[in-house]
């Protein structure tokens, strides 16, 4: 929870690079991210317009069998809203 809280603070402060750095530190430390962590990480990706990174993290989340929430989908939609691009694959994310 401490890593997730720090990621959230960084994301809210628009320090998306730092938020993603903390996420990497978290994984290096062997801490397993949960759905709340991924939601903040995806919000950080939206802030930084890092669509490819968001897709990577979303894929990791799915492989870890963490079910997406409405908040996760909203974060993903935020990436497309900020990048003025639409999702590929018939509008599915």
């Amino acid at each position: 929870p401490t890593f997730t809280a720090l990621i959230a603070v960084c994301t809210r402060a628009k320090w998306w690079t730092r938020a993603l750095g903390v996420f990497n530190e978290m994984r290096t430390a062997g801490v397993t991210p949960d759905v709340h962590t991924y939601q903040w990480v995806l919000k950080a990706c939206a802030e930084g317009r890092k669509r490819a990174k968001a897709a990577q993290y979303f894929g990791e989340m799915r492989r870890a069998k963490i079910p997406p929430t409405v908040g996760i989908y909203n974060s993903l939609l935020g990436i497309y809203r900020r990048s003025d691009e639409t999702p590929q694959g018939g509008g599915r994310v």
Side-chain angles (χ1 to χ4, degrees):
T2 304
F3 279 106
T4 299
L6 184 54
I7 292 167
V9 167
C10 291
T11 301
R12 284 186 188 129
K14 310 281 191 235
W15 300 337
W16 60 268
T17 303
R18 180 66 182 131
L20 297 179
V22 171
F23 182 62
N24 288 330
E25 291 172 26
M26 174 183 172
R27 294 189 303 178
T28 299
V31 178
T32 303
D34 64 12
V35 69
H36 303 291
T37 308
Y38 278 110
Q39 184 171 334
W40 284 109
V41 166
L42 292 173
K43 284 183 181 184
C45 288
E47 289 295 328
R49 297 184 172 145
K50 297 295 183 186
R51 197 175 82 159
K53 277 285 191 200
Q56 173 190 333
Y57 295 142
F58 184 69
E60 289 174 11
M61 187 188 91
R62 298 295 295 198
R63 284 187 294 282
K65 303 212 184 306
I66 298 172
T69 62
V70 170
I72 293 289
Y73 287 122
N74 283 338
S75 296
L76 289 171
L77 289 172
I79 293 163
Y80 292 102
R81 188 172 46 248
R82 284 178 176 82
S83 67
D84 294 328
E85 296 180 38
T86 55
Q88 301 295 317
R92 293 186 202 172
V93 180

